[in-house]
Every structure is written in structure tokens, then in C-alpha cells.
Amino acid sequence: MDTAFTLLAGSSRRLVAELRDALDSCAERQRQLERSLRVSRRLLRAWEPAETLAPEPTPGPETNEEAPSAACIPSPQDLKELELLTQALEKAVRVRKGISKAGEGNKAPSLKSGSIATSPATRASYPPSTSHRAGSRASETEPPRGILQTRVPTKDLPERRLLSVGDQACMGQGAGATKPKSGLRNEQIVLSAASQAPEAFTLKDKGILLQLPEAFRKAASRNSRLWAQLSSTQTSDSVDAATTAKTQFLQKMQTTSGWPGPRLSATEVEAEVRHLQKACLLLRLRMGEELTADPKDWMQEYRCLLTLEELQAIVGQCLHRLRELCTVVEQQLGPWPEGRFPRASLPCGGGADPIWSPQLLLYSSTQELQTLAALRLRVAMLHQQIHLEKVLMAELLPLVSKQEPLGPPWLALCRAVHSLLCEGGQRFLTILREDKPAD
Amino acid sequence: MGRRRRRRRVDPADAARALPEAIAALSQTLPAGPSPETFRRAKFDRPEAAPALWRLLFRVLSPQLADGASASFSPEAQVRSVKLALRTQGYPRRALAQLPDDGSQGGRELLLALAWLLARGPLPERLLTQNRVQLGDEMPVCECEALASPGPPAPSVEADGCVDIRHLQWLMGKLRFRWRNLMASQQEQCALLGKIHSYTRGCHSDRSLGHLSVTETELLRDPEGGRQLLRRLERENARLQAALEWRRRELVFWRWMDTVLGACPPEASQPTFLPRIPTPGTGALEPLVRELQALQGELREAVEARRAAWEAGVGGRGPQWSAARTALREAVGQDLAALRQACERGGGCSLAQPHGPHRLVRTEAGVPGGPGLRAPEVIEALRSQEARLEVVLRQLQGQCRQELARLVGAPPGPVWILPPGR
């Protein structure tokens, strides 16, 4: 084994830890994405009727497939009847929308109980039949087509008539036709009729019919109102008085404690260090811009020079501040064993604690959204690459410089280091050596 | 006359109620808030108040834990964690560190600690923001989270000996692969979101939103989950309401805390030895010092080179020159003002950029739409950010190339053939 390839223990630990860290943060993002993907995919499939206390967050794919594909093949007449039925329902929904807002509120909570009550009845009303077994079992319990139900009022005579017609037609298909029970409510009829449909509820077809339950709507609008209030009430007399009282309290706390305490707390030091890291990157970005700019006249040239000088001054100040922090840490806070900073949550934007308020991001096409998301990922990846590059530089360059002999193992190491540092590990260079011709 | 007398008679009762109401609001907005009676007992340092306050401080200082997770920490562990967190934040009183670990004492000191935390920042609001119920499909528009990662990582669990550089190459490859996967998954998620948003257009009661989000659609698909969401939402609403109440009434609390502080015996002023707390040791600051020094070095080189070129070149001379120079200096100063501010202590983000998570809303193309960020603008900003970062990365890689070439030495050493194309 080429010992030249091997790194020192200290460097190894740091480098491997950094790379593992990067890999872990990627993995975490991937996990979160996978979670969201599962939910979204499930929403776009045919909706599985929710069982009572459905424990499984991810429904078995077999039950979903059953509904549309393994369903019975209804006769053309049934299809027509069902079409009529669906159209009538949709029409009723449109008509009712404006009228029965009041009634709707009661429907949503009762959805579940109503559905549970109907499921045994529905099951009972379908004797197992050969051709329709798959279809009926797949859609036997209350589907969230029940959502549609919430907008269908209980009393509507012409509708009921239509439904019972459709119902009988459907029921007539079953091997052993059972009469619809006399006490059936509309919901049951809708259920038994709709459950013969070869298609379950899909977002694509019937998504626009959805409506959020009343209770939720109220809570959500109250929620955004409260957040808006919370993030806006910043100045008023009582607030000022409270602020003064708080400052005085803090001062008293400091003076009554026997211990003078550190000038800066550990959290504050850590926050400042992060701030300086951000600053360092911003300065480097700006320097990059200036160095790659192409001055066209002497004015631009001079301006570039001035900018670089100014940047130099700022870097000097940052270094000075950092050295002060080092002193604080040494003198007052005591050393710390090798390890990670306890990660304080930095407020976004680096300003004072921002209080969340609802903000929107408008997009107009899927393409746009994808571009946006891809760019975000790319920027995050570049940040990570730059960080890793700095770490690798710090550890690998000294390694190459320490090893003297120009033998093959050393060259191989150089090649590896070059690839890692200069090509992001993606490409390798070729080294040509001139061998002395054998005599 | 009679009315005035009546008002005066009512006042003391009001005043007596004000404090418990303020404390009740506070305790309702905080997670695991104890009753006002507990607060009163704590003022008199009654032992029965202590456990509840330790629990409260633990929840407040470790908000990232889920609601149930705090139960997995033993009371001693909670006490130790609270002590550590407070010291890290610079809590000035020593008495807290000296409280016993079993959590049986210290009501008054804990009350002071809570008040100290409340005085330093908008604690209830911050906690609410961190554990907020997300109703929309959100996407952050800034890269603050990306910048949050640097910092010396924890040493790896396995005490690795020396490592082969090829292992590093392998890890890099693995990382690239993961990024590619991530990109692909992200694109799929966006496509799905786009579909869900367009299939549910017109369904939302809030016209400015127009369509449902995944969370909202999910609650329709799964009524049980929907009920849970509703309960969480209602709980959050109650806490938000309580936070607003607290803001209105907190003055009386601070007056009361003055009396609590007065009731404490003054601490002796000899500095006792306190256990070490984890802080960023100077060793951890070394990489940043080196980085800044490296940056300084690069800038110095660039400046020297350009100044020399300037002096040697034709440049500007003469009376018009000094006026132009002043104007240029001012322009540069203004140009960099934002950057300077960002780098200075406590400065905000240099780019006056929007921050934080935004709810995604799909609009029809061409429709002006309501308030909110537009995706094309964000895309532009991200593109320019990407370009700048790429420049930095190329620069660093270029430096490495130069350095390696120098180390390998001039011919008659081996010839390096660089990989093709960039």
C-alpha cells in the first residue's frame, strides 16, 4: 500500500469529518424532500378512502391500483347513468355553493361519523358478486368524495329522485340485487352510487370542487391575522415603558450579582464569529468581482484600485475584531475541548429577531418554480464547495509541500491532490515523465 | 363626583388582578407554562415551585425539541442542560449554578432567570416562530441557512487512524452523487407542486392565495390528520392571542420582578470558580483567522500590483485630477457602504434582500397579482449570486493550481498535462 497516499491522523480526522458533515446535510435535505414527495405523490393518485383511524401514512399501492384498474367493467348504460349522476351532483354543488354556506359548517365535522355509520350499511348492501368484487371492495367505505357530500344538502327532492334512479340502475348490476334501504340518507345513496364508479376521486379531475371546512377556514384566517398583529405592534407608549423597565431590570441583575461576568457571553462570541465568516465570504465575493472586471479607461482602473484598497481596510478591521474575540475567549471564557460549537439558531438576515409574518412568493409556471428551486440548490451547493475547498487547501497543500522526493508515489499524491483541489475531484491530469533511456 | 369615587374604588381591584392576568397571559403563550400561583410561590422561594420552573426553562431553552421529546430527559439532565444554556448565554448570577441538580430548589432564582431571558429579547414571539404551524408550501428565498453550516465539525465517531487520500476522493464522488439526486428529487417535487396548485385553483377562500397548498389538500384527503392540524392551529392561535395580551400587560410584571429581585439577598462579590462551559476556544477560531489573513494577503498583492501599474502608467495628473479623485473616492465609499455595514459588528445583511420562508402561490401568467415577491426577481438575484460564487470557487482553484505547480517545481521535473477543457 502506497504510504504516500496516506494522510496524517489529524488531517484525516478533520477532512473526513468535514466531508461526512457535508454528506449528512445532503442526506437530511434528501430525507425532507422524500417526505414531501410521498405526500404529494399520494395526493395526485386516486384518493384512498380514509379508514377509521387509518394508521398507515402511506397507503398500500395495491389498494389504489385496484380502484381504477381492477374495477368491474360497467356497461355503457351504467356509464351514461353515472355521467348524469356526476353532472347532477356537480350542478347541485354549484347551485348550493351560494345558498347553503350556513349548512356546510355542520357537515364537515359530521363527515367522519356519517361515513363510519354508512360503511357497514354500504358493505352490507353489496353481496359479494363475482365481477364486481374488486370494484366494490376497493371503494367500499366512505371516500373523501365525502367532501363533495358536504355540499350536497339533505333535502332536495328532484335530486333524490335522480339519485334513486341511478342507484337502482347500479344496484341492478349486483348479482343479488338488494333494495336500497328505505331509511337511507342521501349520503348513503351517493356512496353506493359513486362507489360503482371505475375511477376514484382524483385531484386532476375533481380538484376544483374541493373546499376547505369552515372551522379550518376560520382558524386559518384568524391565524394570519394574529401573526400580522404580532409582527406589527412594535411601537406604542406601553411598549416603550416596558422596554425601559426591561433595560433597568437587566442592569439591576448585573449589578446585584457578585460576579462581574464576561464582557461577552459565549453565545454572543459565537454569533459574532459566524457574522465574521459571512463577512469574509462577502468580501471575497466582492474581491472576485473587482479582479475579474476589465477596466476600460483610467477612471475605471483607478476606481478598481480604490475599491480593492477599501476592501483591504475592511478585512483589516475584521481581523482586528476577530483577534479581540480571541482575547475575550482566552481570558474570560476558558478553553474549550475540540468539538463543535453548540449551534445557536441564527436569525435569518442577521438582524434582530424577526417575527414571522405571512409573505408570498408568486410564480406563474412549473418551469419557473423548477428554475427557482434548482438555483437555490446550486447556490447552497456552491457555498458548500467553497467551504470544502478552503478546508482541503488548508490540509492538503502542506502535505504536498512536506514530502520531498520526486518519486512516483509522490507524483501520484500530487495528482490526487490536484484533482481534489483544482477539479473538484472530477478530473485528473496526466503526468508525463521522462525516463532516462536504458542503455 | 360619584363616578370618580366609583372609579377609585374599582382601581385597587383592577391593579390586584393585573398581575395575575399578565402572568396568566405569559404562561399561556409559553410552552409548559405554570400557573400564576406557581409564580407567586416562586417569589417566596417555595420549593414546590421549583420543578415546574425547571421544566419551563428547559422547554424554553431547547425549543427544537418536539413536544413529547422533553419527557425523555431526566429531571437531572434537564437541570444540567438549563444551567449550561444559561451560562452560555451569559446569565450573570452565580446562584443558579449552585442550585442542586435534583431540581428541588431554587424557585426564586429560576424566576429571575426567566425574567432575564424575557428582558433580553422577544422570547415568546421567537418560540412561536420556531414552532409555527405551516399551512402553505414554503420556500426560503435567502441563503442564510446555507451559510449557517461552517464551523468545526464534531470529531468522527470511529477513531480513524490515517486515511488514504483515495478515500477522500471516494467521499467527494459520493457527495456529488447525492447532490445530483437532490436536484432530481427537487425538480420532481416542484412539478408535483405545480400540478397540485393548478388542479385546486379557485378553491381557497382567501382570494389572494387562490389555490390550496399540499397541507390543505392533505387535510381534505385525510380527515383525521386534518383534525389534528386544526387542533394545532387552534392551540397556536391561543398562544398568539396570549402573546398579544402579554405585550399589553407586561409592565406590571416588570414592576413585580423588581420586588422579587429586591427580595434576594445580595450576592457576595468574591469570584468563585465556575465549571467550564463550552465556548468557541481559540483553536476553533484559527481557521477563520487564517482565512482572513489569506484574504488580506491576496488583497495586498492585488493592490500593490495595481498601484504600481497606476503610478507607472499615464494615469490622471493635473488640477482636474484631484477633483476627479475625490469624486471617485466618494463613489467607492458609497458603493461599499452596504458591504461595510454588513461586515461591521452586528450589521444586517448587506443586500437589502427579502428573507425567510415565503408561501408559494401560483398565478396565471400575465395577471399582475397581489402583494408578494415575484419569482423572476428571485431568480435574477439567485443567478447573480451563483455567478459570484462561481468566481470565488474558480479563484480558489486557480490558487491551488499555482501553488501545486510551484511545489512540483520547474522542469526538468515531470510535465503536467491538464485535463481538457473547462
Side-chain angles (χ1 to χ4, degrees):
Chain A
M1 173 75 114
D2 271 298
T3 51
F5 276 126
T6 322
L7 304 174
L8 300 171
S11 303
S12 312
R13 221 191 7 244
R14 275 191 289 279
L15 287 174
V16 170
E18 285 281 356
L19 282 167
R20 288 252 167 87
D21 207 34
L23 282 165
D24 287 341
S25 72
C26 246
E28 178 56 36
R29 274 197 206 230
Q30 183 76 28
R31 265 196 297 274
Q32 288 173 357
L33 256 184
E34 297 279 340
R35 264 202 300 269
S36 315
L37 274 172
R38 266 202 299 276
V39 174
S40 305
R41 282 185 198 131
R42 190 175 55 198
L43 282 177
L44 285 167
R45 287 197 289 257
W47 285 13
E48 169 74 7
E51 301 285 354
T52 41
L53 309 171
E56 278 246 289
T58 46
E62 68 280 359
T63 37
N64 276 337
E65 254 74 274
E66 260 188 313
S69 57
C72 52
I73 321 241
S75 68
Q77 196 215 6
D78 301 327
L79 278 175
K80 227 191 314 159
E81 304 261 18
L82 280 164
E83 254 303 299
L84 281 173
L85 177 63
T86 322
Q87 281 172 10
L89 279 172
E90 284 175 3
K91 184 177 175 197
V93 151
R94 276 196 296 277
V95 166
R96 293 285 163 237
K97 205 177 186 176
I99 305 175
S100 63
K101 276 236 168 93
E104 278 170 350
N106 312 336
K107 293 290 177 161
S110 67
L111 209 178
K112 193 71 178 171
S113 47
S115 313
I116 300 171
T118 53
S119 56
T122 333
R123 249 183 247 128
S125 66
Y126 277 86
S129 59
T130 46
S131 52
H132 304 309
R133 182 168 310 190
S136 51
R137 208 185 304 136
S139 39
E140 63 188 347
T141 46
E142 65 297 347
R145 309 153 237 206
I147 307 292
L148 298 175
Q149 294 173 63
T150 60
R151 305 155 105 206
V152 173
T154 35
K155 302 194 204 305
D156 187 29
L157 292 175
E159 212 176 273
R160 188 173 281 172
R161 230 179 298 132
L162 183 63
L163 282 171
S164 51
V165 163
D167 190 48
Q168 275 177 354
C170 292
M171 296 293 260
Q173 277 184 341
T178 52
K179 288 203 199 121
K181 298 201 170 63
S182 45
L184 272 184
R185 291 172 290 159
N186 255 19
E187 294 163 358
Q188 271 185 307
I189 298 174
V190 170
L191 272 174
S192 47
S195 56
Q196 276 283 318
E199 282 180 52
F201 179 90
T202 53
L203 208 55
K204 182 169 180 183
D205 304 324
K206 311 214 182 73
I208 50 173
L209 298 176
L210 291 176
Q211 198 184 32
L212 293 168
E214 181 75 23
F216 179 81
R217 267 188 279 155
K218 284 202 182 119
S221 73
R222 183 149 181 259
N223 187 267
S224 66
R225 216 179 347 110
L226 285 170
W227 274 114
Q229 264 186 291
L230 205 61
S231 56
S232 75
T233 54
Q234 294 292 5
T235 48
S236 82
D237 283 340
S238 62
V239 169
D240 292 337
T243 317
T244 325
K246 283 191 268 198
T247 324
Q248 283 175 354
F249 177 77
L250 285 174
Q251 280 169 356
K252 268 179 84 175
M253 279 282 271
Q254 191 69 45
T255 53
T256 57
S257 77
W259 180 36
R263 271 194 342 256
L264 277 180
S265 71
T267 314
E268 283 162 346
V269 169
E270 188 192 347
E272 273 221 53
V273 168
R274 283 193 197 286
H275 181 74
L276 285 170
Q277 277 169 339
K278 250 174 105 167
C280 186
L281 183 61
L282 287 173
L283 288 164
R284 192 173 267 287
L285 285 174
R286 192 54 204 267
M287 179 180 84
E289 273 179 42
E290 290 302 319
L291 290 181
T292 51
D294 198 19
K296 294 184 186 56
D297 59 32
W298 63 264
M299 272 188 75
Q300 284 187 3
E301 208 181 301
Y302 194 69
R303 192 182 175 130
C304 183
L305 174 58
L306 285 180
T307 312
L308 287 171
E309 282 180 345
E310 182 76 10
L311 288 177
Q312 200 184 1
I314 301 178
V315 171
Q317 284 167 3
C318 289
L319 254 178
H320 179 75
R321 181 68 199 146
L322 188 58
R323 293 211 171 98
E324 276 180 358
L325 288 176
C326 283
T327 324
V328 165
V329 167
E330 269 168 13
Q331 287 176 356
Q332 301 182 339
L333 295 177
W336 185 40
E338 183 81 27
R340 181 193 286 275
F341 292 23
R343 224 182 253 182
S345 54
L346 249 197
C348 202
D353 272 310
I355 299 172
W356 183 77
S357 65
Q359 290 167 302
L360 302 179
L361 174 55
L362 307 172
Y363 73 98
S364 56
S365 71
T366 305
Q367 178 77 342
E368 213 169 59
L369 186 59
Q370 283 176 323
T371 313
L372 181 62
L375 276 173
R376 269 197 62 235
L377 267 189
R378 179 115 181 94
V379 165
M381 191 174 80
L382 281 168
H383 275 297
Q384 193 189 66
Q385 274 184 297
I386 289 175
H387 172 68
L388 284 174
E389 183 76 17
K390 288 180 185 163
V391 168
L392 284 169
M393 271 168 80
E395 300 293 341
L396 291 179
L397 285 175
L399 180 74
V400 172
S401 64
K402 275 191 197 107
Q403 305 203 351
E404 273 310 322
L406 281 166
W410 183 76
L411 284 178
L413 175 68
C414 285
R415 187 163 166 269
V417 169
H418 185 279
S419 145
L420 271 176
L421 284 178
C422 309
E423 308 290 340
Q426 284 182 290
R427 281 177 288 227
F428 290 82
L429 47 68
T430 321
I431 301 184
L432 271 184
R433 240 179 10 168
E434 220 180 282
D435 275 336
K436 291 203 176 72
D439 276 328
Chain B
M1 271 280 268
R3 226 179 284 142
R4 223 180 299 140
R5 238 183 283 134
R6 223 173 295 137
R7 211 181 297 143
R8 245 183 267 131
R9 233 179 289 137
V10 169
D11 269 351
D14 264 344
R17 266 206 315 274
L19 180 63
E21 282 175 359
I23 295 181
L26 175 66
S27 136
Q28 200 189 6
T29 183
L30 293 175
S35 66
E37 183 57 24
T38 312
F39 280 79
R40 196 186 67 84
R41 293 214 180 108
K43 171 176 177 177
F44 299 109
D45 214 9
R46 304 287 294 279
E48 59 263 25
L53 284 173
W54 280 117
R55 275 196 299 275
L56 170 62
L57 281 173
F58 181 72
R59 285 296 298 277
V60 157
L61 290 166
S62 10
Q64 67 276 12
L65 293 176
D67 279 340
S70 45
S72 63
F73 282 76
S74 72
E76 287 79 20
Q78 291 189 9
V79 166
R80 275 195 296 274
S81 163
V82 167
K83 284 188 187 177
L84 184 60
L86 281 172
R87 273 216 63 210
T88 310
Q89 293 202 24
Y91 184 66
R93 291 173 62 91
R94 285 194 326 280
L96 189 106
Q98 293 161 351
L99 290 171
D101 274 0
D102 60 356
S104 57
Q105 288 178 36
R108 186 163 53 210
E109 195 58 41
L110 294 174
L111 188 55
L112 287 174
L114 178 67
W116 185 79
L117 288 170
L118 282 168
R120 280 169 38 106
L123 185 63
E125 289 91 335
R126 207 187 314 140
L127 291 173
L128 282 166
T129 304
Q130 279 171 352
N131 295 324
R132 168 173 74 81
V133 173
Q134 289 191 11
L135 293 175
D137 300 315
E138 294 186 356
M139 183 174 280
V141 298
C142 57
E143 69 276 0
C144 295
E145 42 171 284
L147 285 169
S149 45
S156 48
V157 178
E158 61 255 49
D160 268 336
C162 302
V163 152
D164 194 322
I165 199 171
R166 289 171 290 197
H167 183 58
L168 292 180
Q169 289 173 333
W170 179 72
L171 286 174
M172 287 281 268
K174 200 168 160 185
L175 187 61
R176 270 204 311 283
F177 179 68
R178 283 207 183 160
W179 275 109
R180 270 207 299 278
N181 270 357
L182 205 53
M183 192 68 88
S185 305
Q186 173 80 274
Q187 297 294 75
E188 188 191 342
Q189 171 66 347
C190 289
L192 296 183
L193 274 181
K195 277 192 190 159
I196 293 176
H197 291 177
S198 63
Y199 292 164
T200 58
R201 66 190 171 284
C203 293
H204 209 290
S205 45
D206 183 348
R207 287 281 156 257
S208 66
L209 296 173
H211 59 75
L212 301 180
S213 71
V214 166
T215 315
E216 288 161 342
T217 318
E218 178 69 10
L219 92 87
L220 287 173
R221 188 196 71 86
D222 174 21
E224 180 55 38
R227 267 191 288 279
Q228 283 176 11
L229 182 65
L230 183 60
R231 277 197 291 271
R232 277 180 61 209
L233 199 55
E234 284 169 348
R235 273 202 300 271
E236 182 172 286
N237 285 352
R239 283 179 63 188
L240 286 169
Q241 186 74 50
L244 287 167
E245 277 289 308
W246 161 248
R247 275 227 203 126
R248 282 207 299 272
R249 296 167 186 266
E250 58 176 321
L251 191 55
V252 62
F253 175 80
W254 293 114
R255 292 204 197 112
W256 181 65
M257 281 313 300
D258 271 342
T259 67
V260 175
L261 192 52
C264 281
E267 295 204 318
S269 57
Q270 84 273 50
T272 53
F273 177 74
L274 281 165
R276 286 209 191 123
I277 56 174
T279 61
T282 43
L285 295 180
E286 267 315 300
L288 183 56
V289 172
R290 276 202 305 265
E291 245 190 79
L292 281 171
Q293 282 174 334
L295 190 56
Q296 200 180 39
E298 287 172 51
L299 278 168
R300 196 188 0 243
E301 264 183 51
V303 163
E304 277 169 9
R306 278 167 203 242
R307 184 136 303 264
W310 176 257
E311 301 295 328
V314 258
R317 298 276 185 266
Q320 288 168 331
W321 166 234
S322 46
R325 190 170 58 181
T326 325
L328 274 177
R329 222 178 257 286
E330 261 181 51
V332 164
Q334 270 177 10
D335 212 13
L336 291 177
L339 183 58
R340 190 177 255 287
Q341 200 185 23
C343 297
E344 261 155 34
R345 202 162 147 192
C349 193
S350 73
L351 315 160
Q353 240 181 7
H355 282 279
H358 282 55
R359 176 170 178 157
L360 289 169
V361 170
R362 189 182 182 119
T363 58
E364 301 305 313
V367 171
L373 276 184
R374 301 287 186 279
E377 291 164 16
V378 181
I379 290 178
E380 265 317 299
L382 284 173
R383 282 227 168 91
S384 71
Q385 184 73 348
E386 180 197 20
R388 299 211 307 273
L389 287 170
E390 276 178 347
V391 164
V392 169
L393 188 59
R394 300 279 166 264
Q395 235 178 21
L396 288 173
Q397 286 177 339
Q399 273 177 32
C400 290
R401 215 171 273 124
Q402 280 177 358
E403 183 65 18
L404 278 173
R406 190 185 66 80
L407 286 171
V408 170
V415 175
W416 291 47
I417 301 179
L418 296 173
R422 171 125 305 287

